[in-house]
Amino acid sequence: MSQWQDFTTGERIKMLRGKETQSDLAERSGLSKHTIQKAEQDKNVSLPTLLRLAEALHSDVSVILGQQAPRRGMGRDDRSMLRELSRTVHDTAAGVLADPAEGAAPGQADLAEAADRMWRVYWRGAYAEAGSLVAPFLRSVALFAQAVPTGQEAVANGLLSDAYRAAGLISNFLGARDLAYASVGHALRYAELAADPVRMSMLGSARARVLLRDARVEQALREAEAAAARAEPRFSEQGTGLLAAYGKNIIFAAVAASRLGDGDRSADLLSQAHAVAARLGRDVFGNGMQFGPSYAGAQAVGINVTLGNTGKAIDLSRRFDPSGLTQAAHSRMQLDIALAQADARQWETSLDTLLEVCSAHPEWAKHQAIPGVIIQRAGRAGNARIRKLSEILGTSPTIR
């Protein structure tokens, strides 16, 4: 029986299209029927075109390219981790907790240390490992909240919001969309109970991220812009935390606008984000969030790649100091650079960049769409590299 990865990209698009006609798909995606025909004939298509197809087909680019099966094929350990995370999220949200008599509730200092460890792993891009830390952390926070003295509920609610947000970000990355939506919803509830404007603002970009991954790009844009608007009148009075969260929402709005092909809107939002980053003067880290000059610069590279501004993206990457980025953010920027190099037909250089990041972080790379885009387009430019990349990513070589 053929595996999903064994089909060609064109065959996968046809299967995802189902009984819908090419004309119907063209109308829903905003593409021409000729473009749909080219895609289904396995002719090279751009990333913006693939993003539009993914949105119209209610799928991911990585699914179209065969990197993941339609329901997110993954290893046994990852599936086990997600089952445990799902059970913990739903149990704690429903109030199904361990008996406090079985052990003392953890203290606030212990929970702060556990949260710091969890986010450090997350920033490394080791999302499955981070997920294995979130479930016990969430259970511990729930016990803490159950035993917290009157007057300290805000602390417990803030920690619960952080734990649910972490669960949402990780499950979203691994393709467990329903769990991601539920987790982010619980996180927002507890941020509101904590009356914490920083956490509430951070959840705007978290929800936008889930919507983007679900190919609901226009909704992601509206969500990020609305979250930024809610924070903007207050951020100058609230210190760096809310200012960073505000900037993160602006960046996600710019990303969404670029995926819609709205270059002017994206450029305006990106300019605002750079202004916020300049005001901060440094990258700010807190509760799993990063924003500042390094982060804004890295996102500018990716946004210009999506908009087709290849030369500008490559130029930005050369003038940009990535030393302030987390490992995950740096790896993502390397993928964007590799795609820009491919767009410039610098095939060997592109494959070298791609092979470097995929070799260093294979588990992370398997869940990214860009490697498949580049491999599909590289043709015979680097057969040995493509075979090596296909081994790392667990896909069939695409060499024509």
Side-chain angles (χ1 to χ4, degrees), residues 123-251:
W123 280 329
R124 273 204 335 260
Y127 298 119
E129 181 183 350
S132 70
L133 298 176
V134 174
F137 176 65
L138 178 53
R139 289 194 296 269
S140 295
V141 174
L143 287 174
F144 172 78
Q146 191 177 50
V148 74
T150 301
Q152 295 185 28
E153 293 89 352
V155 172
N157 288 330
L159 288 169
L160 281 166
S161 179
D162 292 344
Y164 282 122
R165 181 163 55 87
L169 292 172
I170 291 165
S171 55
N172 182 58
F173 183 84
L174 294 176
R177 205 78 71 243
D178 290 347
L179 180 59
Y181 280 117
S183 298
V184 171
H186 297 321
L188 181 58
R189 172 193 169 204
Y190 283 104
E192 290 171 343
L193 288 172
D196 189 321
V198 175
R199 285 184 167 96
M200 285 188 283
S201 185
M202 285 193 294
L203 282 160
S205 59
R207 187 150 55 183
R209 189 190 294 265
V210 178
L211 289 165
L212 276 177
R213 193 80 173 188
D214 203 15
R216 298 165 65 180
V217 185
E218 291 185 1
Q219 287 173 278
L221 175 58
R222 290 196 298 270
E223 173 64 33
E225 286 189 320
R230 289 192 297 269
E232 185 177 14
R234 304 188 304 272
F235 76 80
S236 62
E237 303 172 0
Q238 296 289 339
T240 59
L242 193 55
L243 181 55
Y246 169 71
K248 190 74 173 274
N249 283 313
I250 292 293
I251 276 288

Side-chain angles (χ1 to χ4, degrees), residues 59-384:
S59 187
D60 285 346
V61 172
S62 55
V63 171
I64 292 175
L65 295 173
Q67 292 171 240
Q68 302 289 338
R71 288 193 175 273
R72 283 284 182 179
M74 61 180 66
R76 182 177 59 186
D77 290 343
D78 288 351
R79 290 197 299 270
S80 176
M81 179 277 293
L82 274 176
R83 283 196 299 271
E84 178 63 19
L85 185 59
S86 178
R87 183 182 302 114
T88 302
V89 165
H90 296 310
D91 281 357
T92 53
V96 180
L97 305 177
D99 186 350
E102 295 179 4
Q108 186 176 342
D110 291 334
L111 291 173
E113 182 180 345
D116 184 60
R117 182 170 61 253
M118 176 185 70
W119 289 123
R120 285 201 307 270
V121 173
Y122 175 81
W123 280 329
R124 273 204 335 260
Y127 298 119
E129 181 183 350
S132 70
L133 298 176
V134 174
F137 176 65
L138 178 53
R139 289 194 296 269
S140 295
V141 174
L143 287 174
F144 172 78
Q146 191 177 50
V148 74
T150 301
Q152 295 185 28
E153 293 89 352
V155 172
N157 288 330
L159 288 169
L160 281 166
S161 179
D162 292 344
Y164 282 122
R165 181 163 55 87
L169 292 172
I170 291 165
S171 55
N172 182 58
F173 183 84
L174 294 176
R177 205 78 71 243
D178 290 347
L179 180 59
Y181 280 117
S183 298
V184 171
H186 297 321
L188 181 58
R189 172 193 169 204
Y190 283 104
E192 290 171 343
L193 288 172
D196 189 321
V198 175
R199 285 184 167 96
M200 285 188 283
S201 185
M202 285 193 294
L203 282 160
S205 59
R207 187 150 55 183
R209 189 190 294 265
V210 178
L211 289 165
L212 276 177
R213 193 80 173 188
D214 203 15
R216 298 165 65 180
V217 185
E218 291 185 1
Q219 287 173 278
L221 175 58
R222 290 196 298 270
E223 173 64 33
E225 286 189 320
R230 289 192 297 269
E232 185 177 14
R234 304 188 304 272
F235 76 80
S236 62
E237 303 172 0
Q238 296 289 339
T240 59
L242 193 55
L243 181 55
Y246 169 71
K248 190 74 173 274
N249 283 313
I250 292 293
I251 276 288
F252 266 93
V255 169
S258 72
R259 293 193 182 184
L260 291 170
D262 192 336
D264 290 341
R265 191 173 186 180
S266 183
D268 179 61
L269 290 163
L270 189 56
S271 177
Q272 294 178 49
H274 280 306
V276 176
R279 178 168 179 167
L280 283 168
R282 61 182 176 83
D283 280 77
V284 173
F285 298 82
N287 294 332
M289 178 191 68
Q290 176 190 13
F291 183 78
S294 295
Y295 188 86
Q299 292 296 319
V301 173
I303 286 169
N304 278 284
V305 171
T306 300
L307 289 171
N309 302 328
T310 303
K312 185 174 182 179
I314 292 175
D315 183 56
L316 285 172
S317 71
R318 289 171 177 164
R319 295 189 288 109
F320 171 64
D321 178 9
S323 59
L325 293 174
T326 65
Q327 182 174 302
H330 185 230
S331 296
R332 174 56 203 230
M333 188 185 73
Q334 284 185 286
L335 289 187
D336 288 326
I337 292 170
L339 184 57
Q341 292 164 340
D343 286 344
R345 304 186 71 80
Q346 300 172 10
W347 301 117
E348 300 290 344
T349 304
S350 173
L351 289 171
D352 284 341
T353 303
L354 183 60
L355 187 55
E356 178 184 352
V357 66
C358 291
S359 298
H361 310 292
E363 293 304 317
W364 175 86
K366 286 178 182 178
H367 294 276
Q368 301 293 329
I370 289 177
V373 175
I374 295 173
I375 290 172
Q376 183 191 51
R377 295 172 57 187
R380 294 184 177 276
N383 291 3

